[in-house]
Amino acid sequence: MENQADNKFTWVIENFSTLQSQVVSSDEFVIGGCKWRLLAYPKGFNKSGYFSLFLEVADYKSLPSGWRRHARYLLTIVNQNSGKCSKRNEANKCFDHKIPGWGLSAMLPLTKLHDEDSGFLVNDEVKIVAEVEVLEVIGKLDVLEESEEANQSLKRIKLDYDSADSINLHKEISPVMESIDVNGFQVLPSQVDFVRRIFEKHPDIALEVRPKNQYLRKACMNFLLSLIETLCQSLQELSNEDLVEADIALTYLKDAGFKLDWLEIKLDQVKEKKKEEEINEARMQELEKELMDIKKTCLDMEALLEKEKANMFAARRASLTLEDVV
């Protein structure tokens, strides 16, 4: 069951406990002139033990070469008992043919999801809300917005394929979403402070960046910001797949000429912490098992003790009579 209002899409997964598929998808929905869909893994992505949730460009296989969507999104698994306890994942990402979907493989532990008192699974239904703000589109829109206000809600770069000899770039720039130059990189107003802070702490970060085209440089900067956001997630939210993707992203940016020794150190630290977390979790599970075994042994010993007490009291009561002796 789905429902959509403005830039918000609500998806209710019914009969959740009886789902057999590894992945289920919502109906397509349109926000910012782009078609999207939600992908959920009821048993966890790669059997991770967590409910996994992703936002994906619905028709990415049919889009022309070079397409990209830059969007800010908020995915929420609604706690139907208390909205404050809902599980959320907010990010600012670039979607393209290499990575058409973003989300979290470790969105919510399955044990917590299936806990009848948790509030996430009510009447065998899981409620998910996706809020999407499209910031930039490279390539044609999937659906043309009817209102002028909607047309100006994002910055669009349309690729004109009418001519076989050339590709003409047409830009429609909304004053609200106008890019701002920060050290030679065009960034969104919402990104300015963050990017300036990066250059203040690491002034030599982009001295040897090879791409000179402003759109490629902008894409690289968005890639860098997404990588930093990934590393800022909690260890519980951060999966090993995320760390593998972070490694790939770091290599890509270094190949483009970014000086990211400091970020590589941070990534190694996060990897080490994630490894420690997994070791601690495994050790905790071992201790819990040992404790359960000890408790079982204690219960068995208590039962044996009670049996011996009963035998002792029975023996005391069974005193011999004179006739038994004589």
Side-chain angles (χ1 to χ4, degrees):
M1 183 171 64
E2 289 88 6
N3 182 38
Q4 183 176 349
D6 297 329
N7 67 333
K8 183 183 294 186
F9 176 76
T10 301
W11 179 29
V12 177
I13 306 177
E14 301 175 333
N15 303 316
F16 185 84
S17 61
T18 61
L19 293 174
Q20 299 300 318
S21 302
Q22 286 295 111
V23 58
V24 292
S25 64
S26 71
D27 288 343
E28 294 182 3
F29 56 95
V30 178
I31 293 179
C34 303
K35 292 181 180 179
W36 307 90
R37 68 172 179 171
L38 295 173
L39 298 179
Y41 291 77
K43 297 177 174 56
F45 185 72
N46 288 337
K47 299 180 180 179
S48 62
Y50 288 84
F51 178 79
S52 307
L53 182 63
F54 299 90
L55 173 68
E56 183 181 74
V57 176
D59 55 347
Y60 71 91
K61 292 183 179 179
S62 63
L63 292 175
S65 176
W67 71 270
R68 188 169 78 243
R69 310 277 193 259
H70 179 200
R72 182 185 296 112
Y73 65 82
L74 173 63
L75 303 180
T76 303
I77 304 178
V78 179
N79 188 299
Q80 300 176 59
N81 291 340
S82 172
K84 294 181 179 179
C85 297
S86 297
K87 183 65 177 178
R88 297 174 175 85
N89 170 227
E90 184 175 7
N92 187 324
K93 299 291 186 181
C94 282
F95 299 75
D96 55 28
H97 72 284
K98 292 183 178 179
I99 308 179
W102 287 96
L104 274 183
S105 57
M107 188 76 176
L108 182 69
L110 291 176
T111 52
K112 187 171 184 179
L113 176 62
H114 287 281
D115 185 347
E116 60 182 14
D117 297 323
S118 69
F120 290 103
L121 184 61
V122 177
N123 297 325
D124 208 20
E125 294 180 347
V126 174
K127 184 177 181 181
I128 296 169
V129 176
E131 298 176 59
V132 183
E133 180 186 0
V134 179
L135 304 175
E136 181 184 57
V137 174
I138 292 181
K140 65 179 182 179
L141 292 173
D142 299 319
V143 178
L144 293 178
E145 300 285 353
E146 294 181 358
S147 67
E148 185 64 24
E149 180 181 357
N151 283 332
Q152 294 182 353
S153 65
L154 52 86
K155 174 184 175 182
R156 298 198 302 274
I157 303 172
K158 293 184 177 180
L159 295 180
D160 184 0
Y161 292 95
D162 294 337
S163 171
D165 298 326
S166 64
I167 297 177
N168 299 317
L169 295 180
H170 302 278
K171 293 190 295 181
E172 297 179 12
I173 303 177
S174 163
V176 177
M177 299 309 299
E178 183 178 1
S179 296
I180 297 174
D181 184 277
V182 178
N183 287 59
F185 290 86
Q186 296 295 317
V187 300
L188 297 170
S190 60
Q191 300 171 327
V192 170
D193 290 341
F194 191 16
V195 174
R196 282 177 177 167
R197 201 183 323 159
I198 293 174
F199 277 103
E200 287 173 1
K201 290 188 175 182
H202 311 282
D204 59 344
I205 183 176
L207 294 180
E208 299 178 3
V209 170
R210 282 186 285 277
K212 304 304 178 185
N213 181 281
Q214 61 172 316
Y215 301 115
L216 293 177
R217 291 172 68 86
K218 185 175 183 178
C220 288
M221 180 55 67
N222 286 330
F223 212 37
L224 174 61
L225 297 179
S226 296
L227 174 56
I228 294 174
E229 286 182 359
T230 298
L231 296 183
C232 289
Q233 293 181 98
S234 67
L235 290 178
Q236 184 179 357
E237 294 176 324
L238 203 58
S239 67
N240 288 320
E241 291 87 351
D242 292 332
L243 293 176
V244 171
E245 292 176 357
D247 253 331
I248 296 172
L250 182 63
T251 301
Y252 170 81
L253 290 169
K254 289 172 66 177
D255 289 344
F258 282 89
K259 188 174 181 181
L260 298 173
D261 296 345
W262 54 276
L263 192 56
E264 189 170 10
I265 292 173
K266 294 294 183 182
L267 177 56
D268 289 339
Q269 291 174 348
V270 172
K271 286 181 183 177
E272 189 63 31
K273 289 181 179 179
K274 184 65 178 178
K275 185 177 180 180
E276 290 178 4
E277 181 204 39
E278 291 176 345
I279 293 174
N280 291 336
E281 184 177 2
R283 180 56 181 158
M284 184 178 67
Q285 291 175 353
E286 290 177 3
L287 291 174
E288 287 178 347
K289 185 178 183 304
E290 290 178 9
L291 181 59
M292 289 179 63
D293 291 340
I294 292 173
K295 287 182 177 180
K296 184 178 182 303
T297 301
C298 290
L299 290 174
D300 292 342
M301 292 182 67
E302 287 180 359
L304 182 60
L305 178 60
E306 291 299 322
K307 182 178 179 181
E308 292 299 326
K309 285 182 179 179
N311 291 338
M312 181 187 69
F313 290 137
R316 287 177 177 176
R317 287 195 299 269
S319 56
L320 296 176
T321 64
L322 181 60
E323 292 182 358
D324 292 332
V325 175
V326 177

